[in-house]
Amino acid sequence: MFRKLINNGSYQKRIRFKALFNQERKNYCKSAKNSYPKRIFSGIQPTGNVHLGNYLGAIQNWVELQNSGQNVIWSIVDLHAITLPQDPKTLEKGIFSMVATLLACGVDPEKSILFQQSTVPLHTELNWILSSITTMPRLSRLPQFKEKSQNVKEVPVALFNYPILQAADILIYKATHVPVGEDQIQHLELSQDLARKFNQKFGDTFPFPETIINDEAKRIKSLRDPTNKMSKSCPDPKSRLDITDSPDILLKKVKKSVTDFTSQVTYDPDNRPGISNLIKIHSLLTGKSTEEICQEAEGIDTGKYKLILADIVIEKLNPIRERYLQLTADSQYLEKVLRDGAQKASEIAIPNLLDVRAKIGFSDKLRFKIVYS
């Protein structure tokens, strides 16, 4: 079949088409990005405990962007969470736990907009509007739907529609930049395509959201299976270092992390993924190179090295945990943060959606202002 494609030229045509499409996307980006002020948006689901991989790979970057004076919006995306079955009480608790975690990690509501996605209903309205210009074949090609639907007996429509809501999250704020990992690039490409498609059909409305690629070097691996990344969804809690773990639990998890039968501390991700993952965590937490760490660990075995690393992890995470415990004890403050964040987010989103509604022919502006004011 592959030879047939090559022989009849269709394979080359598809490659050329993709190249032209990507070039058109780049050209559009260049022409559109100067028309809009820089604004950064990202979201995190309130499910599962935030672990060290989430912190190093995403949240730490959020704090750095915030502290550098960027215009940033962070959302706790509870609408995305219910695309898979959730226990209502657990979800509600998870939302407030996530607010406390983000604040404990350094997100500052005076410098960032931090809000709960479902409290700004304009996301769902724009989601519906964007659904009208999206095709089912386009959505079915996205990898996350294929991955998540494999483990679900009856696939919810919301799971299929998930990437459009993700696009609405970004475009409702006319965000120009989105921090993402490599596994989310195709979803952001859908946001870019929908922005371009809407603008071509209804006039210039949305910027072309660009990716801020999260540093893949910061993606750490599971403590129990170092061939896979550390994950909130893994059923084995010993596979990850949760931000809210107590010092004794962190110590136990590091001590029981998988290495190998070689006692020497060396960095060799291909042949020694377990110990290499621990060295990488050490490097990311201290700023030392992997070479420096291996030199310092010369003459000690992996068991003793784990104790050194455990002290470093505890020193980093325990202040975050203590701040988290203080924040979770003050539910009124957490509610205020979310309430103020929703107000600030709405002030940006309302005029943007009014613009969209007018362009597609919805004329009930007065009613809209009454409902969402």
Side-chain angles (χ1 to χ4, degrees):
M1 181 66 181
F2 184 73
R3 287 180 181 175
K4 273 188 176 181
L5 285 170
I6 292 176
N7 291 337
N8 65 22
S10 61
Y11 178 74
Q12 286 89 340
K13 286 178 183 177
R14 285 165 63 188
I15 294 295
R16 284 198 299 272
F17 175 79
K18 187 169 181 60
L20 287 170
F21 183 77
N22 287 337
Q23 186 58 49
E24 181 188 355
R25 182 183 277 148
K26 288 178 182 178
N27 292 339
Y28 181 85
C29 175
K30 287 179 182 177
S31 63
K33 69 181 180 182
N34 294 325
S35 306
Y36 299 88
K38 185 176 181 180
R39 179 176 290 138
I40 300 169
F41 175 92
S42 192
I44 188 169
Q45 288 200 32
T47 53
N49 293 329
V50 172
H51 56 70
L52 184 62
N54 300 136
Y55 174 75
L56 293 172
I59 298 173
Q60 186 174 248
N61 186 41
W62 289 12
V63 174
E64 289 170 358
L65 290 168
Q66 160 201 281
N67 291 341
S68 68
Q70 301 287 349
N71 181 0
V72 294
I73 303 175
W74 314 127
S75 179
I76 298 168
V77 289
D78 52 344
L79 291 172
H80 287 291
I82 63 168
T83 56
L84 292 174
Q86 300 291 336
D87 175 73
K89 289 183 180 179
T90 303
L91 179 60
E92 183 180 12
K93 182 180 177 182
I95 291 166
F96 286 96
S97 177
M98 183 58 71
V99 180
T101 300
L102 293 174
L103 295 176
C105 288
V107 171
D108 184 347
E110 297 300 320
K111 298 178 182 178
S112 298
I113 295 176
L114 174 62
F115 74 104
Q116 180 183 342
Q117 179 191 29
S118 65
T119 59
V120 183
L122 294 83
H123 289 245
T124 52
E125 184 164 355
L126 183 57
N127 168 51
W128 184 258
I129 292 168
L130 295 177
S131 296
S132 70
I133 59 171
T134 313
T135 65
M136 293 179 69
R138 178 70 176 88
L139 292 181
S140 64
R141 293 195 297 270
L142 295 171
Q144 195 166 26
F145 171 73
K146 295 176 183 178
E147 178 187 332
K148 289 190 175 183
S149 60
Q150 285 177 351
N151 302 318
V152 181
K153 189 174 181 181
E154 295 183 351
V155 181
V157 174
L159 185 60
F160 189 70
N161 197 50
Y162 182 110
I164 307 178
L165 179 58
Q166 201 170 43
D169 295 336
I170 297 164
L171 298 180
I172 193 65
Y173 300 104
K174 298 191 176 182
T176 57
H177 293 77
V178 184
V180 293
E182 284 190 352
D183 56 345
Q184 286 289 320
I185 288 177
Q186 283 187 291
H187 281 212
L188 188 62
E189 286 177 350
L190 177 67
S191 303
Q192 295 168 338
D193 294 344
L194 289 174
R196 179 178 53 82
K197 195 171 183 179
F198 190 95
N199 290 355
Q200 289 176 344
K201 190 170 184 178
F202 298 106
D204 188 34
T205 308
F206 299 117
F208 191 92
E210 297 183 60
T211 56
I212 301 175
I213 301 295
N214 289 338
D215 188 355
E216 289 301 299
K218 292 184 178 180
R219 295 186 69 172
I220 60 179
K221 305 295 185 180
S222 164
L223 298 181
R224 305 302 297 167
D225 179 8
T227 61
N228 290 316
K229 70 176 183 178
M230 191 174 285
S231 172
K232 286 198 293 181
S233 60
C234 179
D236 185 357
K238 294 191 293 294
S239 68
R240 57 186 174 267
L241 298 168
D242 290 330
I243 293 291
T244 55
D245 281 341
S246 63
D248 59 322
I249 292 175
L250 291 171
L251 175 61
K252 287 177 183 177
K253 287 182 176 181
V254 175
K255 285 173 68 176
K256 292 183 178 180
S257 60
V258 171
T259 51
D260 52 38
F261 296 107
T262 303
S263 64
Q264 189 178 3
V265 178
T266 60
Y267 187 74
D268 185 356
D270 293 330
N271 299 308
R272 304 191 66 199
I275 189 63
S276 297
N277 185 42
L278 300 183
I279 294 169
K280 186 175 182 179
I281 292 171
H282 189 161
S283 175
L284 291 170
L285 290 177
T286 62
K288 293 180 180 180
S289 69
T290 56
E291 292 81 5
E292 285 179 286
I293 293 167
C294 291
Q295 286 175 2
E296 291 175 0
E298 192 172 348
I300 65 172
D301 60 27
T302 54
K304 290 180 181 177
Y305 174 71
K306 286 179 180 180
L307 298 178
I308 294 171
L309 176 61
D311 285 342
I312 292 167
V313 171
I314 291 167
E315 185 180 0
K316 178 66 178 181
L317 295 187
N318 200 47
I320 295 174
R321 176 178 178 270
E322 290 177 351
R323 177 60 178 150
Y324 167 83
L325 293 174
Q326 291 173 355
L327 288 162
T328 52
D330 190 353
S331 59
Q332 289 186 340
Y333 174 68
L334 298 180
E335 288 173 7
K336 182 180 185 303
V337 168
L338 288 179
R339 188 167 53 250
D340 292 349
Q343 179 64 37
K344 292 175 185 176
S346 297
E347 288 171 1
I348 299 170
I350 286 174
N352 292 342
L353 190 57
L354 280 171
D355 183 32
V356 169
R357 288 170 62 89
K359 285 177 177 173
I360 65 173
F362 291 171
S363 58
D364 54 340
K365 291 183 180 179
L366 179 60
R367 178 178 177 275
F368 179 83
K369 286 180 179 177
I370 293 169
V371 170
Y372 290 114
S373 63

